[in-house]
């Protein structure tokens, strides 16, 4: 199947299904499964493409880029992880926001290193990546703050935060956006007891040494950022660490961003270099960089 065919497949599925799908788990076998045939079809198409194009033979960074490109033109939709009821693993390969795009690409590129893998491999790794210690307990066990996402997944050996070693400086900021804006989060409004756990997470983040590359210095370190690196854009919004994420890709010797864009309403490669993107925004202040461990 060609890349265009997969893009058309995703676009077609997006027209007929609007919400993320919760996966189910067989309690006896502990096997998680897709409950939606549309997402399963996309997964199977990616699996076939990977086999046809020998993705398993690619270097880690190249495989991340190739998987990321498979989702180009996939519609941007926010809030697909907010399922009714208790916290559950949600999969939606048809509609993506910036974080779910990045997560799906990281997990798929990881399992595509193998010649044989199953949907269960994908779903287990997605859960491991998305949740603290890889365990779903409640809404607060999801890694909502992306600097916390980087920290937790560095502890798991999935990524390495390379920000400080490529020129990053100390990121001094008090993180408390979620606990200060409870009305913006339906789960916190529905169960105020969760706020304490969110505050505990914020306190943990505030106790760490964080680094970032200021927007004025991003162009100077472009050559130190690899294709396939994970880019987290820091923000000037009070109490918030990261406002957007994507994947590094060099185009004509300049660093661009491959990402699910709320402005373009789809997954795109930025028309202009990342450094210029940052300067055009009044709310973005710089970047953090994480590298997927190969």
């Amino acid at each position: 199947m060609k890349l265009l065919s997969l893009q058309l497949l995703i676009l077609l599925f997006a027209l007929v299904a609007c919400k993320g799908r919760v996966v189910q788990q067989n309690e006896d076998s502990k096997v998680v499964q897709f409950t939606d045939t549309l997402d399963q079809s996309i997964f199977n198409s990616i699996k076939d493409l990977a086999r046809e194009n020998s993705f398993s033979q690619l270097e880690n960074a190249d495989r991340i880029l190739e998987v990321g490109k498979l989702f180009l033109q996939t519609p941007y939709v926010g809030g697909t992880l907010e399922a009714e009821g208790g916290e559950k693993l949600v999969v939606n390969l048809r509609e993506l926001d910036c974080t779910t795009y990045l997560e799906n690409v990281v997990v798929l590129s990881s399992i595509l290193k193998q010649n044989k893998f199953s949907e269960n491999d994908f779903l287990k790794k997605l859960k491991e990546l998305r949740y603290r210690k890889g365990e779903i307990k409640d809404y607060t066990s999801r890694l909502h703050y992306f600097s916390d996402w980087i920290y937790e997944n560095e502890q798991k050996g999935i990524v390495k935060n390379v920000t400080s070693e490529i020129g990053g400086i100390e990121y001094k900021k008090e993180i408390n956006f979620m606990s200060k804006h409870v009305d913006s989060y339906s789960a916190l409004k529905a169960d105020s007891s969760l706020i304490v756990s969110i505050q505990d997470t914020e306190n943990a983040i505030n106790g760490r040494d964080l680094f970032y590359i200021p927007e004025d210095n991003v162009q100077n370190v472009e050559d130190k950022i690899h294709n396939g690196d994970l880019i987290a854009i820091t923000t000037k919004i009070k109490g918030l660490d990261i406002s957007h994420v994507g994947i590094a890709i060099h185009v004509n010797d300049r660093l661009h961003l491959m990402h699910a864009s709320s402005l373009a309403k789809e997954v795109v490669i930025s028309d202009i270099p990342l450094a210029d993107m940052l300067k055009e925004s009044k709310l973005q202040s710089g970047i953090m960089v994480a590298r997927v461990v190969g």
Side-chain angles (χ1 to χ4, degrees), residues 97-128:
D97 63 26
C98 64
T99 303
T100 59
Y101 169 64
L102 181 146
E103 287 181 336
N104 284 322
V105 171
V106 169
V107 172
L108 284 166
S109 64
S110 173
I111 65 174
L112 290 175
K113 288 187 293 188
Q114 311 169 63
N115 288 319
K116 293 184 179 180
F117 57 88
S118 67
E119 63 188 62
N120 187 51
D121 295 325
F122 169 73
L123 297 170
K124 287 197 298 184
K125 286 186 176 294
L126 182 62
K127 181 164 72 77
E128 179 186 13

Side-chain angles (χ1 to χ4, degrees), residues 23-280:
V23 300
Q24 64 185 4
Q25 177 167 316
N26 182 310
E27 292 299 331
D28 294 328
S29 64
K30 300 300 181 184
V31 172
V32 283
Q33 301 171 304
F34 288 115
T35 58
D36 191 279
T37 57
L38 303 182
D39 290 309
Q40 189 164 40
S41 294
I42 294 173
F43 176 80
N44 290 336
S45 296
I46 292 173
K47 192 174 180 179
D48 292 341
L49 273 169
R51 186 179 297 110
E52 292 171 11
N53 293 280
S54 302
F55 278 20
S56 63
Q57 303 302 311
L58 296 175
E59 294 294 329
N60 199 46
D62 293 333
R63 188 168 51 254
I64 291 170
L65 287 193
E66 291 307 310
V67 173
K69 290 175 183 177
L70 293 178
F71 290 98
L72 289 173
Q73 299 181 342
T74 301
Y76 175 97
V77 176
T80 58
L81 298 186
E82 309 311 317
E84 295 181 1
E87 184 72 13
K88 303 177 183 68
L89 181 66
V90 174
V91 173
N92 188 340
L93 298 175
R94 296 155 283 105
E95 303 158 320
L96 304 166
D97 63 26
C98 64
T99 303
T100 59
Y101 169 64
L102 181 146
E103 287 181 336
N104 284 322
V105 171
V106 169
V107 172
L108 284 166
S109 64
S110 173
I111 65 174
L112 290 175
K113 288 187 293 188
Q114 311 169 63
N115 288 319
K116 293 184 179 180
F117 57 88
S118 67
E119 63 188 62
N120 187 51
D121 295 325
F122 169 73
L123 297 170
K124 287 197 298 184
K125 286 186 176 294
L126 182 62
K127 181 164 72 77
E128 179 186 13
L129 191 74
R130 184 176 290 167
Y131 290 93
R132 192 176 315 284
K133 300 184 186 303
E135 299 175 359
I136 301 176
K137 295 182 177 179
D138 57 31
Y139 176 77
T140 66
S141 61
R142 196 195 315 164
L143 298 170
H144 297 280
Y145 287 105
F146 202 79
S147 65
D148 192 35
W149 187 102
I150 293 173
Y151 175 84
E152 287 289 329
N153 283 303
E154 186 167 37
Q155 301 306 301
K156 299 169 192 169
I158 297 173
V159 302
K160 179 184 179 183
N161 190 337
V162 298
T163 309
S164 62
E165 65 186 62
I166 64 173
I169 63 173
E170 190 175 359
Y171 186 52
K172 297 180 180 179
K173 189 173 187 179
E174 183 178 4
I175 305 304
N176 57 18
F177 187 88
M178 292 183 71
S179 63
K180 295 294 185 182
H181 297 83
V182 171
D183 287 347
S184 298
Y185 302 91
S186 57
L188 300 182
K189 286 178 64 177
D191 186 354
S192 60
S193 68
L194 299 175
I195 299 174
V196 173
S197 181
I198 289 293
Q199 290 173 326
D200 289 342
T201 295
E202 292 168 344
N203 290 335
I205 295 171
N206 291 325
R208 296 170 189 154
D209 293 326
L210 297 179
F211 298 86
Y212 84 119
I213 300 166
E215 58 184 343
D216 290 338
N217 198 40
V218 169
Q219 186 170 349
N220 296 330
V221 300
E222 285 184 350
D223 60 337
K224 298 178 182 179
I225 297 174
H226 298 177
N227 279 337
D229 281 353
L230 310 182
I231 304 294
I233 297 177
T234 55
T235 179
K236 297 173 185 176
I237 297 172
K238 186 176 180 179
L240 190 60
D241 55 350
I242 303 298
S243 61
H244 191 57
V245 298
I247 297 170
I249 180 170
H250 288 83
V251 180
N252 296 326
D253 297 323
R254 291 298 308 277
L255 177 66
H256 288 242
L257 190 69
M258 185 159 55
H259 62 132
S261 168
S262 60
L263 294 177
K265 301 299 183 184
E266 63 182 10
V267 176
V268 297
I269 297 172
S270 62
D271 293 330
I272 60 176
L274 175 61
D276 297 337
M277 281 180 58
L278 296 173
K279 292 176 182 177
E280 284 190 353

